[in-house]
Amino acid sequence: MLDKKGIAQRIAKEVKDGYYVNLGIGIPTLVANFVRDDIDVEFQSENGILGMGPFPTEDEVDADLINAGKQTITARPGASFFDSALSFGMIRGQHIDLTILGAMEVAQDGNIANWKIPGKMVKGMGGAMDLVGSAQNIIVAMMHTNKAGKSKLLSSCTLPLTGVKCVTKVVTNLAVIDIVDGKFKLLERAPGVSVEEIKEATEGELIVDGDIPEMTL
Amino acid sequence: MLDKKGIAQRIAKEVKDGYYVNLGIGIPTLVANFVRDDIDVEFQSENGILGMGPFPTEDEVDADLINAGKQTITARPGASFFDSALSFGMIRGQHIDLTILGAMEVAQDGNIANWKIPGKMVKGMGGAMDLVGSAQNIIVAMMHTNKAGKSKLLSSCTLPLTGVKCVTKVVTNLAVIDIVDGKFKLLERAPGVSVEEIKEATEGELIVDGDIPEMTL
Amino acid sequence: MITKTVNNVTEALEGVKDDMTFMFGGFGLSGIPENSINELVKRNIKNLTCISNNAGVDDFGLGLLLKKNQIKKMISSYVGENAEFERQMLSGELEVDLIPQGTLAERCRAAQNGIPAFYTPAGYGTEVAEGKEVRDFDGKPHVLEEAFEADFAFVKAWKGDTAGNLIFKGTARNFNAVMSGAAKITVAEVEELVEPGELDPNFVHIPGVFVQRIYQGEKYEKRIEKRTVRES
Amino acid sequence: MITKTVNNVTEALEGVKDDMTFMFGGFGLSGIPENSINELVKRNIKNLTCISNNAGVDDFGLGLLLKKNQIKKMISSYVGENAEFERQMLSGELEVDLIPQGTLAERCRAAQNGIPAFYTPAGYGTEVAEGKEVRDFDGKPHVLEEAFEADFAFVKAWKGDTAGNLIFKGTARNFNAVMSGAAKITVAEVEELVEPGELDPNFVHIPGVFVQRIYQGEKYEKRIEKRTVRES
């Protein structure tokens, strides 16, 4: 089974040379730490930077330089700053190659819910609806089940949606799963996790086709 | 009767302190020369400058600094450059206080035609359709009649329109005329020009209400 | 040069009243118009509709207006990490219109640029699109969204000149640039106010025509929400 | 840093073909992509649809493509002062779609920003609006306009870095900024190509993500259409 870092590490393998990548808050933020350093990748943060660098040293901290998670950051050489309209223009205009974000629920039709539990909790969608409404390559990073032990990979979402038929891949603590033809398709097992365990933790329809390899990180 | 310079000079009196002004090609360009120098006025050129200054000296000429008429210009202190989308955003968003442009025909309903004579000549509308489609204060600068001696102030335009019900004032070599309730209303006579002469040169309905003063420049 | 300078925040906020709609620049606490917000808190005007990506934190930024119940309605994209905002929303004390962040930005930009409405894919198939026109372009459904209308926009820039030209720093540009000129009156506060000619016209982010009043803020706290550092 | 550099104009134009749709930055002759245009003339590809505010002059810029009859259709706002353009249009040799300049700019910007369509007041009641949807907003009629689609955008900047970031000078920014990223492939030529880190990230006009190929132009004539001077 993977921990959050492990999920990020596995997703990092999906990041290809020349990609512009938008990382959501939470697990996705960790992905940056695991991207191979022999490929060229740029991170966009939707509050207005392309070419995001690592966290600053104490001396470098600048209130005018944060990421979408409100953390202080740095800018790499070749970075640029821009306003929120142009930033979402990059996203909406499909100039960003890969979007990685968290979710409360993902359905086998590719629907995603991640911003609201009616009556209980409202985070707000932030930029997520714009991201999932436009991106062509969306990976969800999340735990396979919620704190109550219930599956987050469902036949259909129960919470208010963030976007429809948009998620292409899900990486959880248990598995790597693609969404193909309205079904979950199991691609890889997390180390030490059996196909049975994954089936049990997946409420939606899970296609298991042939031998499922254990993932390498 | 006024010459082109005189028309520009009369229009300059309509330019008020604190105005942002867009000047079209031709007579309107001349208006800048006659604006009182004790008031603060900024000129916008829709190709991307606010704070346009006078023509450059030989030494200052820069191919990267032109106005919408493609003439070399200078920038005043406090000027700014921007792209064509933001430039027309200023116009469309009604941030420009006064638009002065030329015309082939103006009708008593405020319609204007200035970009095309079917089968004969096509200049293109350039930014004129955006300007007349949005501006609330539009003055047309033109000769009262065309080269064939025919009136350019008509009951209804015959040429393809640039905009509908948008012109508020016309200043010609003969007169200053407002457009009020779908009619031309004579406000001032050019020096030495009689009301009769103006009536004769105006094909559209001209309201002459009381004594019409001769204009002062 | 047309001058936009006002002497202080009091003059800058002349005309603000109960029941008005305001826009506030900033993302999180980065680039928020601190001085204008503090003055609004002091004036205690009520029943406000506020368009702002976030609502500050409990004790800073728009959180201060929330705490004093000066806000009737928030139009935002994100609530997370603001306990008072979430509490007022869930209890029904506060009306909240949550909209996608890119749509929020584009509706400001539309107001600034005289575009009354546009289509976006964001929010299609979600409750955000309920009651809105949906239309396919290139086979993909899009939602019709309209430009905002607001009485005042409060923005904060790094440098500005007396002609109203603005320059932003880093990611503090965010909504400040797109809200400039998107309301009837735009009030800009800057860390440093200079004379016309001191800013390079090639690098002005927002031309002065979009700004009606400009002043140098008295002081800037520039609070950091999540100070994250690495070993040097 | 993701590198966008190509070695020369030949590499920059790889993939251009007959029947394609191209965007060209520039207003008049100011800021036109001279090197890319000259290469297109040399390659003699035909049947092109060109989106450009003007069509150069008879012997420079897009005028060169017109003269060699490489252009099937022009999408522009202004013909004036270009005799060959007017002649080909009136004779019917050339298809011409004349549209308001602000609409031209906004349709580029829409393509760049993933907005499929928007409403504008420009052109309402004129032949430009014929066959287009008209809708009232705030009691005023507006015309629905759609984003452009193009195969290549050719733009010209003052400075650029190998990451594709662009900075423009003066009024040469014009359509260059809004066409960057508005086509499938954006080819930027610059007067000076520098390394990443040499441009201030606060003052980059177009982030590198909007540019697929960048090269330093071999030479720039930067011809002036109307040299107007005053006594010094």
Side-chain angles (χ1 to χ4, degrees):
Chain A
M1 205 186 305
L2 301 176
D3 58 4
K4 289 182 177 179
K5 266 194 175 175
I7 296 174
Q9 201 171 348
R10 175 59 191 82
I11 290 177
K13 289 176 66 181
E14 304 294 323
V15 178
K16 307 274 188 282
D17 190 33
Y19 268 17
Y20 293 96
V21 181
N22 181 290
L23 300 177
I25 300 172
I27 302 175
T29 304
L30 303 174
V31 172
N33 303 324
F34 298 107
V35 172
R36 281 162 51 192
D37 54 12
D38 62 335
I39 61 174
D40 290 322
V41 173
E42 290 304 325
F43 294 102
Q44 190 238 25
S45 200
E46 64 265 30
N47 57 314
I49 177 174
L50 191 71
M52 190 166 33
F55 295 138
T57 61
E58 270 297 343
D59 292 350
E60 290 169 341
V61 167
D62 182 347
D64 294 327
L65 191 37
I66 64 170
N67 65 17
K70 284 109 182 176
Q71 297 170 308
T72 46
I73 53 161
T74 55
R76 297 179 58 195
S80 55
F81 303 121
F82 34 84
D83 65 45
S84 299
L86 194 65
S87 187
F88 281 92
M90 283 177 200
I91 291 166
R92 218 186 288 105
Q94 306 189 331
H95 302 282
I96 303 299
D97 301 292
L98 175 61
T99 292
I100 305 169
L101 78 171
M104 296 171 185
E105 294 179 350
V106 173
Q108 64 192 51
D109 55 4
N111 286 4
I112 175 174
N114 73 352
W115 68 285
K116 184 180 185 178
I117 303 175
K120 271 198 198 158
M121 183 274 269
V122 185
K123 283 199 309 176
M125 65 292 285
M129 283 192 182
D130 307 275
L131 282 159
V132 304
S134 293
Q136 297 190 292
N137 193 1
I138 299 174
I139 302 181
V140 167
M142 66 177 190
M143 303 308 277
H144 212 99
T145 52
N146 66 19
K147 280 170 192 165
K150 286 181 117 176
S151 180
K152 295 170 74 176
L153 288 96
L154 307 174
S155 49
S156 131
C157 287
T158 65
L159 296 173
L161 296 180
T162 306
V164 296
K165 294 181 183 163
C166 51
V167 176
T168 49
K169 191 185 278 293
V170 185
V171 179
T172 74
N173 52 326
L174 302 185
V176 177
I177 288 169
D178 266 8
I179 290 177
V180 183
D181 298 334
K183 284 165 195 154
F184 293 122
K185 184 168 169 32
L186 183 59
L187 296 185
E188 298 174 20
R189 295 172 294 113
V193 175
S194 70
V195 168
E196 261 330 292
E197 287 172 285
I198 297 164
K199 271 188 177 164
E200 206 160 302
T202 306
E203 190 267 329
E205 188 175 347
L206 185 74
I207 305 297
V208 183
D209 204 0
D211 200 37
I212 306 299
E214 192 173 286
M215 66 178 74
T216 53
L217 295 174
Chain B
M1 204 188 309
L2 301 178
D3 57 6
K4 289 182 178 181
K5 266 193 177 175
I7 296 174
Q9 200 171 350
R10 174 59 191 83
I11 289 177
K13 289 178 65 181
E14 304 294 323
V15 178
K16 305 275 187 285
D17 190 32
Y19 268 19
Y20 293 95
V21 182
N22 181 289
L23 300 177
I25 301 171
I27 301 175
T29 303
L30 303 174
V31 172
N33 303 325
F34 299 105
V35 173
R36 282 162 51 193
D37 54 13
D38 62 335
I39 61 174
D40 290 322
V41 173
E42 291 303 326
F43 295 103
Q44 190 237 24
S45 199
E46 65 264 29
N47 56 316
I49 177 174
L50 190 72
M52 191 167 29
F55 295 138
T57 61
E58 270 295 344
D59 292 348
E60 289 169 341
V61 167
D62 182 348
D64 293 327
L65 193 36
I66 64 170
N67 65 16
K70 282 108 182 176
Q71 296 170 309
T72 46
I73 53 163
T74 55
R76 298 180 59 196
S80 56
F81 303 122
F82 33 84
D83 65 46
S84 299
L86 194 67
S87 186
F88 281 92
M90 284 178 198
I91 290 166
R92 217 187 288 107
Q94 304 188 333
H95 302 282
I96 303 298
D97 302 291
L98 176 60
T99 292
I100 304 169
L101 76 174
M104 297 170 184
E105 295 179 350
V106 173
Q108 63 192 53
D109 53 5
N111 286 2
I112 174 173
N114 73 353
W115 67 285
K116 184 179 183 179
I117 303 174
K120 268 197 198 157
M121 184 274 270
V122 185
K123 281 200 308 175
M125 66 291 286
M129 283 193 182
D130 307 275
L131 283 158
V132 303
S134 294
Q136 299 189 290
N137 193 2
I138 300 173
I139 303 180
V140 167
M142 65 177 190
M143 303 306 278
H144 212 100
T145 52
N146 65 20
K147 280 172 191 161
K150 287 182 120 178
S151 178
K152 296 170 73 176
L153 288 95
L154 307 175
S155 49
S156 132
C157 287
T158 65
L159 296 174
L161 296 180
T162 307
V164 295
K165 293 181 183 163
C166 52
V167 176
T168 49
K169 192 184 277 295
V170 185
V171 179
T172 73
N173 52 326
L174 303 184
V176 177
I177 288 170
D178 266 8
I179 290 177
V180 182
D181 298 333
K183 283 165 194 156
F184 293 122
K185 183 169 168 35
L186 184 59
L187 296 186
E188 299 174 18
R189 296 172 294 113
V193 175
S194 71
V195 169
E196 260 332 291
E197 287 171 286
I198 296 165
K199 269 189 179 163
E200 204 161 304
T202 306
E203 189 269 328
E205 187 174 348
L206 185 74
I207 306 297
V208 182
D209 203 359
D211 201 36
I212 305 300
E214 193 174 287
M215 65 178 76
T216 55
L217 294 175
Chain C
M1 189 53 50
I2 300 169
T3 295
K4 305 296 176 67
T5 324
V6 291
N7 290 311
N8 48 47
V9 67
T10 316
E11 276 182 45
L13 267 66
E14 206 184 292
V16 299
K17 286 196 307 242
D18 290 355
D19 308 308
M20 278 186 161
T21 298
F22 297 156
M23 290 176 165
F24 295 91
F27 178 95
L29 300 180
S30 191
I32 61 172
E34 297 186 17
N35 290 274
S36 292
I37 292 172
N38 290 339
E39 177 72 12
L40 287 169
V41 172
K42 216 186 322 181
R43 295 208 184 180
N44 206 27
I45 56 171
K46 301 272 192 188
N47 236 11
L48 303 174
T49 296
C50 297
I51 302 167
S52 170
N53 189 59
N54 314 78
V57 293
D58 289 349
D59 63 342
F60 197 58
L62 291 192
L64 300 169
L65 286 167
L66 273 178
K67 207 151 71 176
K68 285 183 63 191
N69 290 99
Q70 294 178 255
I71 303 177
K72 181 185 72 179
K73 181 177 182 180
M74 282 297 310
I75 299 174
S76 303
S77 87
Y78 201 69
V79 181
E81 299 123 46
N82 188 325
E84 180 64 15
F85 189 2
E86 193 172 0
R87 190 196 65 71
Q88 288 193 16
M89 175 171 35
L90 291 172
S91 74
E93 282 167 64
L94 182 72
E95 277 178 65
V96 179
D97 194 1
L98 285 174
I99 60 180
Q101 193 175 150
T103 300
L104 184 73
E106 192 68 11
R107 289 177 67 186
C108 294
R109 192 262 171 197
Q112 178 190 57
N113 288 272
I115 298 291
F118 58 89
Y119 290 91
T120 174
Y124 166 73
T126 76
E127 60 180 64
V128 161
E130 278 169 22
K132 289 177 181 161
E133 181 192 313
V134 170
R135 190 185 296 203
D136 279 14
F137 291 95
D138 259 342
K140 197 180 159 182
H142 291 75
V143 182
L144 182 67
E145 296 282 358
E146 295 196 14
F148 282 123
E149 289 182 27
D151 298 293
F152 280 83
F154 298 104
V155 303
K156 186 258 169 187
W158 179 31
K159 294 180 187 177
D161 68 18
T162 57
N165 293 305
L166 302 180
I167 288 178
F168 306 95
K169 181 165 149 268
T171 55
R173 193 179 322 175
N174 53 60
F175 287 86
N176 286 299
V178 290
M179 287 176 173
S180 299
K184 288 192 195 94
I185 295 174
T186 294
V187 176
E189 57 178 275
V190 298
E191 290 182 55
E192 191 188 346
L193 186 62
V194 303
E195 290 301 311
E198 291 188 47
L199 304 179
D200 184 334
N202 283 303
F203 302 124
V204 165
H205 293 129
I206 288 294
V209 69
F210 292 113
V211 172
Q212 279 66 52
R213 304 175 191 172
I214 192 167
Y215 69 101
Q216 186 169 310
E218 208 164 85
K219 78 173 180 45
Y220 285 96
E221 186 172 336
K222 295 178 81 165
R223 204 186 287 188
I224 291 173
E225 247 171 295
K226 295 190 187 161
R227 174 181 292 265
T228 43
V229 295
R230 66 183 154 93
E231 300 298 302
S232 55
Chain D
M1 192 51 50
I2 301 169
T3 296
K4 305 296 176 68
T5 324
V6 292
N7 290 312
N8 48 47
V9 67
T10 316
E11 275 183 45
L13 268 66
E14 204 184 293
V16 299
K17 287 198 305 241
D18 290 356
D19 306 307
M20 278 186 162
T21 298
F22 297 156
M23 291 178 162
F24 295 91
F27 178 96
L29 300 180
S30 190
I32 60 172
E34 297 186 17
N35 290 274
S36 292
I37 292 172
N38 289 341
E39 176 71 14
L40 286 169
V41 172
K42 211 179 340 175
R43 293 207 185 182
N44 205 26
I45 56 172
K46 301 271 191 188
N47 236 11
L48 303 174
T49 296
C50 296
I51 302 167
S52 171
N53 189 60
N54 313 79
V57 293
D58 289 349
D59 62 343
F60 197 57
L62 291 191
L64 300 170
L65 286 168
L66 273 178
K67 207 151 73 176
K68 285 183 64 190
N69 290 99
Q70 294 178 254
I71 303 177
K72 180 185 72 179
K73 181 176 180 178
M74 281 298 310
I75 300 174
S76 302
S77 87
Y78 201 70
V79 181
E81 299 125 45
N82 187 326
E84 180 64 13
F85 189 1
E86 193 171 1
R87 189 195 65 71
Q88 288 192 16
M89 176 172 34
L90 291 173
S91 73
E93 283 167 61
L94 182 71
E95 277 177 66
V96 179
D97 194 1
L98 284 174
I99 59 181
Q101 193 176 148
T103 299
L104 184 72
E106 193 67 11
R107 289 177 68 185
C108 293
R109 193 261 172 196
Q112 180 189 56
N113 288 271
I115 298 289
F118 59 89
Y119 290 91
T120 175
Y124 167 73
T126 76
E127 61 178 64
V128 160
E130 278 169 23
K132 288 179 183 160
E133 182 191 312
V134 170
R135 190 184 296 202
D136 279 15
F137 292 94
D138 261 341
K140 197 180 159 180
H142 291 75
V143 182
L144 182 67
E145 295 282 359
E146 296 197 15
F148 282 124
E149 289 183 28
D151 297 294
F152 280 82
F154 298 105
V155 303
K156 186 260 169 185
W158 180 30
K159 293 181 187 177
D161 68 17
T162 57
N165 292 304
L166 302 179
I167 288 179
F168 306 95
K169 183 166 148 268
T171 55
R173 194 180 321 176
N174 53 59
F175 287 87
N176 286 300
V178 290
M179 287 176 173
S180 299
K184 290 192 195 94
I185 294 175
T186 295
V187 175
E189 57 178 274
V190 298
E191 290 183 53
E192 190 187 347
L193 186 62
V194 303
E195 290 301 311
E198 289 187 47
L199 304 179
D200 184 334
N202 283 303
F203 301 125
V204 165
H205 292 128
I206 287 295
V209 69
F210 292 113
V211 173
Q212 279 66 53
R213 304 175 191 169
I214 192 168
Y215 69 100
Q216 186 169 309
E218 209 164 86
K219 78 174 180 42
Y220 285 97
E221 185 173 338
K222 295 177 80 165
R223 204 186 286 189
I224 292 173
E225 244 170 298
K226 295 189 188 162
R227 175 181 291 265
T228 43
V229 294
R230 66 184 154 93
E231 300 297 301
S232 53

